Amino acid sequence: MAFTLDPELAAVLQALAEQSGPAPPPERDDWRTLRARGTASMRWMASLLPAYPSGYPLVKASSHKVRSADGAEILVRWYEKADSAPGSAVVYAHGGGMISGSVDLYDSVVAGYVQATGVPFLSVDYRLAPDAATGTGPVEDVFAALIWLGEQAPELRVDPRRIAVMGDSAGGGLAAGVAILARDRGVPLARQALLYPMLDDRTLTPDPRLAPYVAWTWDDNWTGWHALLGAAFGTDDVPPQVAPARVATVEGLAPAYVEVGELDIFRAEAVTYAQRLADADIPTELHLHSGAIHEYDRLAPASRLARRAMEDRRRVISSL
Protein backbone atom coordinates (compact mmCIF):
# COMPACT_ATOMS: atom_id res chain seq x y z
CA MET A 1 0.00 0.00 0.00
CA ALA A 2 1.38 3.42 -0.98
CA PHE A 3 1.96 6.19 1.52
CA THR A 4 0.03 9.46 1.26
CA LEU A 5 1.50 12.83 2.20
CA ASP A 6 -0.72 15.02 4.35
CA PRO A 7 -2.42 17.45 1.91
CA GLU A 8 -1.56 20.58 3.90
CA LEU A 9 2.09 19.54 3.98
CA ALA A 10 1.95 18.71 0.28
CA ALA A 11 0.70 22.22 -0.50
CA VAL A 12 3.54 23.81 1.49
CA LEU A 13 6.18 21.66 -0.19
CA GLN A 14 4.73 22.38 -3.63
CA ALA A 15 4.85 26.12 -2.98
CA LEU A 16 8.45 25.90 -1.79
CA ALA A 17 9.43 23.90 -4.88
CA GLU A 18 7.85 26.49 -7.16
CA GLN A 19 9.65 29.33 -5.39
CA SER A 20 13.14 27.89 -5.22
CA GLY A 21 13.24 25.25 -7.95
CA PRO A 22 15.12 21.96 -7.72
CA ALA A 23 18.40 21.92 -5.80
CA PRO A 24 20.93 19.08 -5.96
CA PRO A 25 21.37 17.30 -2.63
CA PRO A 26 24.66 17.79 -0.77
CA GLU A 27 27.28 15.15 -1.36
CA ARG A 28 27.54 12.55 1.37
CA ASP A 29 29.95 13.76 4.10
CA ASP A 30 29.72 17.41 2.97
CA TRP A 31 28.70 18.64 6.39
CA ARG A 32 29.45 22.28 5.57
CA THR A 33 26.88 22.42 2.78
CA LEU A 34 24.38 20.45 4.86
CA ARG A 35 24.93 22.85 7.78
CA ALA A 36 24.40 25.88 5.53
CA ARG A 37 21.16 24.41 4.18
CA GLY A 38 19.98 23.45 7.64
CA THR A 39 20.64 26.94 8.96
CA ALA A 40 18.76 28.53 6.07
CA SER A 41 15.85 26.13 6.54
CA MET A 42 15.64 26.80 10.29
CA ARG A 43 15.77 30.53 9.67
CA TRP A 44 12.88 30.23 7.21
CA MET A 45 10.85 28.03 9.56
CA ALA A 46 11.41 30.51 12.37
CA SER A 47 9.93 33.21 10.12
CA LEU A 48 6.63 31.29 10.11
CA LEU A 49 6.25 31.92 13.85
CA PRO A 50 5.82 35.22 15.70
CA ALA A 51 9.20 36.87 16.17
CA TYR A 52 10.80 36.77 19.59
CA PRO A 53 10.60 38.83 21.75
CA SER A 54 7.85 41.02 20.24
CA GLY A 55 5.54 38.09 19.47
CA TYR A 56 5.78 36.70 23.00
CA PRO A 57 5.23 39.70 25.30
CA LEU A 58 4.73 37.55 28.40
CA VAL A 59 8.02 35.66 28.03
CA LYS A 60 11.33 37.01 29.23
CA ALA A 61 14.73 35.41 28.64
CA SER A 62 18.16 35.56 30.24
CA SER A 63 21.40 33.99 29.03
CA HIS A 64 23.89 32.11 31.20
CA LYS A 65 26.99 29.96 30.85
CA VAL A 66 27.41 26.40 32.07
CA ARG A 67 30.55 24.30 32.07
CA SER A 68 30.49 20.97 30.25
CA ALA A 69 32.33 17.80 31.29
CA ASP A 70 35.49 18.76 29.37
CA GLY A 71 35.53 22.30 30.76
CA ALA A 72 34.00 24.06 27.74
CA GLU A 73 31.62 26.94 28.43
CA ILE A 74 28.16 26.43 26.94
CA LEU A 75 25.51 29.10 26.43
CA VAL A 76 22.07 28.36 27.88
CA ARG A 77 19.01 30.59 27.72
CA TRP A 78 16.33 30.60 30.41
CA TYR A 79 12.78 31.51 29.30
CA GLU A 80 9.96 32.15 31.74
CA LYS A 81 6.65 33.93 31.93
CA ALA A 82 6.36 36.84 34.29
CA ASP A 83 3.58 35.04 36.15
CA SER A 84 5.13 31.55 36.12
CA ALA A 85 4.36 29.63 39.28
CA PRO A 86 7.12 27.72 41.08
CA GLY A 87 7.38 24.11 39.99
CA SER A 88 8.42 22.28 36.85
CA ALA A 89 10.88 23.15 34.07
CA VAL A 90 12.18 21.74 30.78
CA VAL A 91 15.71 21.51 29.37
CA TYR A 92 15.48 21.81 25.57
CA ALA A 93 17.91 20.64 22.86
CA HIS A 94 17.37 22.02 19.36
CA GLY A 95 17.44 20.04 16.14
CA GLY A 96 19.94 20.21 13.29
CA GLY A 97 21.30 16.75 12.53
CA MET A 98 24.12 17.20 15.10
CA ILE A 99 25.80 19.70 12.76
CA SER A 100 23.58 22.81 12.71
CA GLY A 101 21.11 24.84 14.76
CA SER A 102 21.40 27.23 17.68
CA VAL A 103 19.53 28.71 20.60
CA ASP A 104 18.95 31.89 18.58
CA LEU A 105 17.27 29.99 15.74
CA TYR A 106 14.94 28.35 18.27
CA ASP A 107 13.99 31.49 20.23
CA SER A 108 10.42 31.51 18.91
CA VAL A 109 9.98 27.75 19.22
CA VAL A 110 10.96 27.68 22.88
CA ALA A 111 9.21 30.93 23.77
CA GLY A 112 6.06 29.50 22.20
CA TYR A 113 6.10 26.51 24.52
CA VAL A 114 6.64 28.75 27.54
CA GLN A 115 3.87 31.17 26.60
CA ALA A 116 1.44 28.32 25.92
CA THR A 117 2.13 26.33 29.09
CA GLY A 118 3.60 28.69 31.66
CA VAL A 119 6.40 26.16 32.22
CA PRO A 120 9.90 27.71 32.00
CA PHE A 121 12.46 26.27 29.56
CA LEU A 122 16.25 26.18 29.50
CA SER A 123 17.46 26.07 25.89
CA VAL A 124 20.97 24.68 25.32
CA ASP A 125 23.43 25.95 22.71
CA TYR A 126 25.33 22.65 22.62
CA ARG A 127 28.47 22.42 20.52
CA LEU A 128 28.04 21.23 16.95
CA ALA A 129 29.89 18.42 15.21
CA PRO A 130 32.43 18.04 13.80
CA ASP A 131 34.32 21.32 14.26
CA ALA A 132 33.22 22.21 17.80
CA ALA A 133 32.65 18.80 19.41
CA THR A 134 32.41 15.12 18.56
CA GLY A 135 31.46 11.92 20.35
CA THR A 136 29.94 12.56 23.76
CA GLY A 137 30.57 16.32 23.64
CA PRO A 138 27.04 17.47 22.65
CA VAL A 139 25.17 15.13 25.00
CA GLU A 140 27.46 16.12 27.88
CA ASP A 141 26.71 19.77 27.07
CA VAL A 142 22.97 19.16 27.45
CA PHE A 143 23.52 17.08 30.57
CA ALA A 144 25.58 19.93 32.05
CA ALA A 145 22.60 22.21 31.50
CA LEU A 146 20.39 19.75 33.39
CA ILE A 147 22.84 19.74 36.31
CA TRP A 148 23.08 23.55 36.27
CA LEU A 149 19.31 23.86 36.37
CA GLY A 150 19.14 21.49 39.34
CA GLU A 151 21.77 23.56 41.17
CA GLN A 152 19.95 26.81 40.40
CA ALA A 153 16.56 25.36 41.24
CA PRO A 154 15.94 27.35 44.46
CA GLU A 155 16.82 30.66 42.80
CA LEU A 156 14.77 29.88 39.69
CA ARG A 157 11.85 28.53 41.76
CA VAL A 158 12.08 25.07 40.21
CA ASP A 159 11.40 21.74 41.90
CA PRO A 160 14.41 19.57 40.88
CA ARG A 161 12.16 16.50 40.92
CA ARG A 162 9.98 18.07 38.20
CA ILE A 163 12.58 18.77 35.51
CA ALA A 164 12.14 17.18 32.08
CA VAL A 165 14.40 17.01 29.05
CA MET A 166 13.01 17.60 25.57
CA GLY A 167 14.30 17.96 22.02
CA ASP A 168 13.49 17.55 18.36
CA SER A 169 15.39 15.57 15.72
CA ALA A 170 19.05 15.58 16.77
CA GLY A 171 17.93 17.31 19.95
CA GLY A 172 15.49 14.48 20.56
CA GLY A 173 18.37 12.03 20.35
CA LEU A 174 20.38 14.18 22.76
CA ALA A 175 17.41 14.32 25.14
CA ALA A 176 17.22 10.52 25.10
CA GLY A 177 20.98 10.37 25.72
CA VAL A 178 20.66 12.76 28.66
CA ALA A 179 17.95 10.50 30.11
CA ILE A 180 20.43 7.61 29.97
CA LEU A 181 23.13 9.69 31.66
CA ALA A 182 20.66 10.86 34.31
CA ARG A 183 19.73 7.28 35.13
CA ASP A 184 23.34 6.10 35.21
CA ARG A 185 24.54 9.04 37.32
CA GLY A 186 21.64 9.12 39.75
CA VAL A 187 20.15 12.44 38.64
CA PRO A 188 16.36 12.76 38.97
CA LEU A 189 14.48 13.31 35.71
CA ALA A 190 10.70 13.67 35.50
CA ARG A 191 10.23 12.94 31.78
CA GLN A 192 11.91 12.70 28.39
CA ALA A 193 10.00 14.21 25.46
CA LEU A 194 11.44 13.01 22.15
CA LEU A 195 10.16 14.67 18.98
CA TYR A 196 11.06 12.69 15.83
CA PRO A 197 14.33 11.79 17.57
CA MET A 198 17.66 10.89 15.93
CA LEU A 199 18.47 7.78 17.94
CA ASP A 200 20.34 5.26 15.78
CA ASP A 201 23.54 5.76 13.77
CA ARG A 202 22.72 2.56 11.87
CA THR A 203 19.72 4.05 10.03
CA LEU A 204 21.52 4.29 6.69
CA THR A 205 19.73 1.98 4.23
CA PRO A 206 17.19 3.76 1.98
CA ASP A 207 13.61 2.54 1.93
CA PRO A 208 12.31 3.00 -1.64
CA ARG A 209 8.75 3.40 -0.36
CA LEU A 210 9.73 6.36 1.82
CA ALA A 211 12.32 7.88 -0.52
CA PRO A 212 9.89 10.15 -2.45
CA TYR A 213 8.81 11.87 0.77
CA VAL A 214 11.78 12.19 3.10
CA ALA A 215 12.99 15.63 4.13
CA TRP A 216 16.07 14.34 5.98
CA THR A 217 17.64 11.68 3.79
CA TRP A 218 19.72 8.61 4.54
CA ASP A 219 22.77 10.39 3.06
CA ASP A 220 22.07 13.36 5.34
CA ASN A 221 21.89 10.93 8.24
CA TRP A 222 25.24 9.40 7.24
CA THR A 223 26.79 12.87 7.13
CA GLY A 224 25.42 13.92 10.52
CA TRP A 225 26.40 10.74 12.31
CA HIS A 226 29.84 10.58 10.70
CA ALA A 227 30.47 14.19 11.70
CA LEU A 228 29.59 13.35 15.30
CA LEU A 229 31.20 9.92 15.64
CA GLY A 230 34.31 10.20 13.46
CA ALA A 231 36.38 7.03 13.59
CA ALA A 232 33.83 5.28 15.82
CA PHE A 233 31.15 5.53 13.11
CA GLY A 234 29.97 2.08 12.08
CA THR A 235 31.81 0.26 14.88
CA ASP A 236 30.79 -1.22 18.21
CA ASP A 237 32.52 1.66 20.03
CA VAL A 238 29.58 4.05 19.78
CA PRO A 239 28.51 5.09 23.33
CA PRO A 240 24.82 4.47 24.02
CA GLN A 241 24.30 7.98 25.36
CA VAL A 242 25.33 9.24 21.90
CA ALA A 243 23.15 6.78 19.94
CA PRO A 244 20.46 5.79 22.46
CA ALA A 245 19.09 2.97 20.29
CA ARG A 246 22.28 1.10 21.25
CA VAL A 247 21.61 1.20 24.99
CA ALA A 248 21.76 -2.33 26.45
CA THR A 249 18.82 -1.87 28.80
CA VAL A 250 16.19 0.83 29.17
CA GLU A 251 15.29 -0.23 32.71
CA GLY A 252 15.06 2.75 35.03
CA LEU A 253 14.80 5.45 32.36
CA ALA A 254 12.44 8.39 32.80
CA PRO A 255 8.85 8.23 31.53
CA ALA A 256 8.68 9.14 27.86
CA TYR A 257 6.66 11.01 25.26
CA VAL A 258 7.71 9.98 21.75
CA GLU A 259 6.42 11.49 18.53
CA VAL A 260 7.36 10.79 14.90
CA GLY A 261 5.94 11.09 11.41
CA GLU A 262 4.96 8.13 9.24
CA LEU A 263 7.13 9.46 6.37
CA ASP A 264 10.27 10.08 8.43
CA ILE A 265 13.39 7.91 8.19
CA PHE A 266 13.44 8.01 12.02
CA ARG A 267 10.02 6.29 12.21
CA ALA A 268 11.26 2.76 12.87
CA GLU A 269 13.91 3.71 15.41
CA ALA A 270 11.52 5.98 17.33
CA VAL A 271 8.75 3.38 17.43
CA THR A 272 11.18 0.62 18.41
CA TYR A 273 12.62 2.74 21.22
CA ALA A 274 9.15 3.56 22.52
CA GLN A 275 8.27 -0.14 22.40
CA ARG A 276 11.39 -1.02 24.39
CA LEU A 277 10.43 1.53 27.04
CA ALA A 278 6.87 0.25 27.22
CA ASP A 279 8.06 -3.36 27.44
CA ALA A 280 10.15 -2.33 30.45
CA ASP A 281 6.97 -0.95 32.11
CA ILE A 282 8.18 2.64 31.72
CA PRO A 283 5.19 4.96 31.22
CA THR A 284 5.39 5.78 27.50
CA GLU A 285 3.16 7.78 25.17
CA LEU A 286 3.78 7.25 21.45
CA HIS A 287 2.33 9.24 18.54
CA LEU A 288 2.90 8.07 14.96
CA HIS A 289 1.44 10.76 12.71
CA SER A 290 0.02 9.58 9.42
CA GLY A 291 1.19 11.49 6.33
CA ALA A 292 3.81 13.44 8.27
CA ILE A 293 7.40 14.02 7.17
CA HIS A 294 10.36 15.11 9.27
CA GLU A 295 9.77 18.51 10.93
CA TYR A 296 6.18 18.56 9.67
CA ASP A 297 5.13 20.83 12.53
CA ARG A 298 7.71 23.48 11.71
CA LEU A 299 7.10 23.38 7.96
CA ALA A 300 3.37 23.94 8.37
CA PRO A 301 2.73 25.22 11.92
CA ALA A 302 -0.85 26.23 11.12
CA SER A 303 -1.80 22.81 9.72
CA ARG A 304 -4.28 20.57 11.50
CA LEU A 305 -1.54 17.99 11.96
CA ALA A 306 0.80 20.47 13.65
CA ARG A 307 -1.95 21.91 15.84
CA ARG A 308 -2.89 18.42 17.03
CA ALA A 309 0.73 17.60 17.85
CA MET A 310 1.22 20.89 19.66
CA GLU A 311 -1.85 20.26 21.79
CA ASP A 312 -0.39 16.91 22.88
CA ARG A 313 2.96 18.51 23.67
CA ARG A 314 1.35 21.32 25.68
CA ARG A 315 -0.63 18.76 27.64
CA VAL A 316 2.49 16.73 28.47
CA ILE A 317 4.56 19.79 29.40
CA SER A 318 1.77 21.22 31.56
CA SER A 319 1.43 17.91 33.43
CA LEU A 320 5.04 17.88 34.72
Side-chain angles (χ1 to χ4, degrees):
M1 183 176 177
F3 291 116
T4 302
L5 181 63
D6 179 87
E8 290 179 287
L9 285 173
V12 169
L13 295 176
Q14 179 63 33
L16 287 173
E18 292 173 355
Q19 291 172 13
S20 58
E27 295 289 333
R28 178 183 278 197
D29 218 23
D30 182 2
W31 61 268
R32 291 179 177 85
T33 298
L34 191 57
R35 174 182 289 176
R37 290 193 179 188
T39 300
S41 176
M42 282 184 271
R43 188 170 289 121
W44 175 78
M45 289 188 291
S47 75
L48 303 178
L49 300 174
Y52 183 80
S54 59
Y56 305 89
L58 301 179
V59 180
K60 61 180 181 179
S62 58
S63 295
H64 310 269
K65 291 290 182 69
V66 305
R67 196 165 296 280
S68 194
D70 61 1
E73 277 196 339
I74 308 301
L75 170 71
V76 295
R77 189 165 294 160
W78 176 248
Y79 302 78
E80 62 180 341
K81 288 179 71 173
D83 59 350
S84 291
S88 60
V90 177
V91 176
Y92 197 91
H94 64 76
M98 306 294 182
I99 59 174
S100 62
S102 69
V103 162
D104 290 340
L105 288 169
Y106 269 67
D107 264 331
S108 293
V109 173
V110 175
Y113 286 125
V114 175
Q115 181 155 295
T117 65
V119 175
F121 272 55
L122 184 69
S123 188
V124 188
D125 211 34
Y126 61 86
R127 291 169 291 172
L128 302 177
D131 47 337
T134 56
T136 60
V139 72
E140 289 286 3
D141 294 348
V142 183
F143 183 76
L146 173 66
I147 295 301
W148 180 88
L149 181 53
E151 293 171 346
Q152 301 298 314
E155 180 181 342
L156 297 175
R157 302 185 306 148
V158 169
D159 182 344
R161 298 165 299 179
R162 295 174 62 189
I163 298 175
V165 64
M166 179 177 180
D168 64 287
S169 194
L174 293 172
V178 167
I180 294 170
L181 289 178
R183 176 197 65 182
D184 295 348
R185 298 175 182 178
V187 177
L189 188 66
R191 187 177 294 269
Q192 50 180 323
L194 316 179
L195 312 182
Y196 33 87
M198 186 175 176
L199 299 167
D200 197 339
D201 60 297
R202 299 162 296 189
T203 301
L204 303 171
T205 303
D207 179 341
R209 297 172 302 169
L210 284 182
Y213 306 101
V214 298
W216 174 262
T217 71
W218 294 271
D219 278 349
D220 295 340
N221 213 36
W222 195 102
T223 300
W225 280 114
H226 186 237
L228 179 68
L229 296 173
F233 185 46
T235 74
D236 293 332
D237 296 328
V238 177
Q241 68 268 33
V242 176
R246 289 178 175 263
V247 71
T249 176
V250 298
E251 297 284 347
L253 291 178
Y257 172 91
V258 183
E259 178 189 309
V260 69
E262 177 187 43
L263 307 178
D264 192 327
I265 73 168
F266 297 153
R267 179 190 64 196
E269 63 194 65
V271 171
T272 298
Y273 199 69
Q275 185 66 62
R276 290 183 65 191
L277 294 169
D279 287 346
D281 293 331
I282 294 168
T284 302
E285 180 176 341
L286 170 65
H287 294 264
L288 176 60
H289 290 297
S290 177
I293 62 174
H294 195 61
E295 294 187 310
Y296 62 90
D297 55 318
R298 301 203 61 207
L299 286 164
S303 67
R304 288 185 293 273
L305 185 57
R307 294 200 307 270
R308 186 168 72 244
M310 290 301 295
E311 180 57 36
D312 285 324
R313 297 174 196 175
R314 286 193 290 267
R315 170 180 52 79
V316 169
I317 293 166
S318 298
S319 70
L320 289 171

